[in-house]
Amino acid sequence: MMGKTEQLPVGFMFTLQCVFYAVVSQRWIQLESRISAIIAGLAIGYILLEWFPAVSYEYMACGQQIYWLLTLTLSLYLGLKQLFPGQFSYGMLHQSIGTQNIQLKRTNQRLCQLLQEQTMLEQSLKEENQMLYKLANTDELTQVQNRRFFSQQLHHEWQQLQQKGRPLSVILFDVDYFKRYNDCYGHLAGDDCLQKIAQAANDSLQDSTDFVARYGGEEFAVVLPNTNEQEAVAIAQNIQQAIQALAISHAQSDASSMVSISLGIASMVPTLDTSSNRLVDLADQALYAAKRQGRDRYVLA
């Protein structure tokens, strides 16, 4: 058999090699899988016939056929590997794995980039929301809290302190004879005066939960959680002194030669049968009492 194979023309062998290369190179993965299955099946069949004498004696001819088929298949497999070493090596598998790794790395890099972009977008949205929140709750002129924030936060503090049984105080104050100030010095000077007063009042607060809000026009409100009457009076005095220290001239005031303020103070422990509106009403009544008494003073409700 080997002699006949060796006598085959060289041209035929070359043609056979080209045909094998064209077919096998395209379908090696499928072919290799089938050859492996055939080899495994033949090997198992041969081993069974060899291990069981009763079977091997009766089917000796079949065992010999399986042996020669196994030998032929292995020889064919090894011959193909030698004939097409590039197609039957693990190079293609390694190349495929390498390509997949590159694709995975690129995908991972893209995902990391998208995650970073998403994180930056979330941070940007968070900052924009904070900015919008600040704009919605800050008075444009004085840069303290506005009336909207005052109402919401006062209601929130009322509910919190109602549960804790702690006092809540409110101070309302406005600039004495401010209309006269505007008429005398102009609206730009009036705006500058309000800005300075708001900043001075805000700087007089110590607790982080305390805040100043522009209540309307030249009127301001101060909310003081966890603050009793005596403490609220001390804070009102500090605000009054801070504004006096500004020493802003007011030639048209009947209360002082400098810009002054009148203050109304109210304090109470929130309960279920009262509301924050009642606290504001008391502070407002005290403010008007201070004005009736000659201004440039504070009155405790």
Side-chain angles (χ1 to χ4, degrees):
M1 188 69 179
M2 292 298 295
K4 292 181 180 181
T5 304
E6 291 175 354
Q7 293 176 4
L8 291 175
V10 176
F12 175 77
M13 293 298 296
F14 178 76
T15 303
L16 181 63
Q17 180 178 356
C18 292
V19 172
F20 265 87
Y21 183 84
V23 176
V24 177
S25 62
Q26 299 297 325
R27 299 184 177 179
W28 163 244
I29 298 177
Q30 183 178 5
L31 181 61
E32 184 180 27
S33 176
R34 292 179 178 178
I35 292 175
S36 300
I38 293 172
I39 292 173
L42 292 173
I44 293 172
Y46 180 75
I47 291 171
L48 289 174
L49 290 174
E50 287 296 320
W51 280 8
F52 296 96
V55 177
S56 63
Y57 177 79
E58 185 176 355
Y59 297 97
M60 184 177 296
C62 181
Q64 291 177 355
Q65 291 177 2
I66 291 176
Y67 173 78
W68 288 113
L69 286 173
L70 179 60
T71 303
L72 179 62
T73 306
L74 285 172
S75 299
L76 176 62
Y77 178 73
L78 296 175
L80 289 174
K81 290 194 65 174
Q82 293 180 359
L83 186 61
F84 305 102
Q87 300 296 329
F88 294 90
S89 64
Y90 289 100
M92 293 180 63
L93 180 59
H94 291 164
Q95 182 179 3
S96 176
I97 293 176
T99 303
Q100 292 180 1
N101 284 337
I102 293 174
Q103 293 177 351
L104 287 174
K105 287 181 180 178
R106 290 176 180 174
T107 302
N108 186 51
Q109 290 175 353
R110 179 57 179 164
L111 288 175
C112 290
Q113 182 180 358
L114 291 174
L115 180 61
Q116 184 178 5
E117 291 176 357
Q118 182 179 0
T119 303
M120 294 176 63
L121 178 61
E122 290 177 353
Q123 182 64 28
S124 177
L125 290 175
K126 182 179 179 180
E127 292 175 355
E128 289 180 2
N129 287 334
Q130 291 176 347
M131 184 179 298
L132 290 174
Y133 179 80
K134 183 177 180 180
L135 289 174
N137 293 282
T138 302
D139 179 65
E140 184 177 0
L141 176 63
T142 61
Q143 292 302 301
V144 295
Q145 306 299 335
N146 58 19
R147 177 73 174 267
R148 175 176 178 272
F149 181 86
F150 166 79
S151 300
Q152 292 180 346
Q153 192 64 22
L154 179 63
H155 179 69
H156 172 74
E157 294 293 348
W158 181 273
Q159 291 182 325
Q160 293 293 317
L161 296 175
Q162 177 181 295
Q163 297 175 358
K164 299 177 181 179
R166 298 287 298 165
L168 175 63
S169 297
V170 168
I171 301 173
L172 293 182
F173 71 88
D174 66 5
V175 183
D176 296 329
Y177 301 106
F178 185 71
K179 185 178 183 303
R180 295 183 185 181
Y181 186 91
N182 270 340
D183 294 340
C184 180
Y185 299 99
H187 289 282
L188 291 179
D191 290 346
D192 183 65
C193 177
L194 291 178
Q195 290 172 351
K196 291 179 179 179
I197 288 174
Q199 188 61 50
N202 195 57
D203 292 343
S204 301
L205 305 181
Q206 298 179 349
D207 197 287
S208 59
T209 58
D210 300 344
F211 67 90
V212 177
R214 190 180 181 188
Y215 198 66
E218 70 273 19
E219 190 171 1
F220 295 86
V222 183
V223 177
L224 306 170
N226 294 295
T227 304
N228 57 32
E229 288 184 353
Q230 292 76 16
E231 294 168 336
V233 168
I235 293 174
Q237 291 173 339
N238 291 338
I239 294 174
Q240 191 176 29
Q241 293 171 4
I243 293 172
Q244 289 174 351
L246 294 175
I248 302 174
S249 298
H250 190 348
Q252 301 300 315
S253 175
D254 293 339
S256 172
S257 60
M258 301 294 176
V259 170
S260 60
I261 60 173
S262 298
L263 306 93
I265 308 168
S267 180
M268 61 190 305
V269 176
T271 59
L272 291 173
D273 57 346
T274 57
S275 69
S276 57
N277 293 332
R278 175 58 180 165
L279 182 62
V280 175
D281 289 341
L282 291 174
D284 191 53
Q285 294 172 16
L287 171 60
Y288 279 94
K291 290 181 178 181
R292 288 194 301 268
Q293 293 177 19
R295 303 176 190 261
D296 190 21
R297 70 193 66 222
Y298 67 84
V299 170
L300 177 64

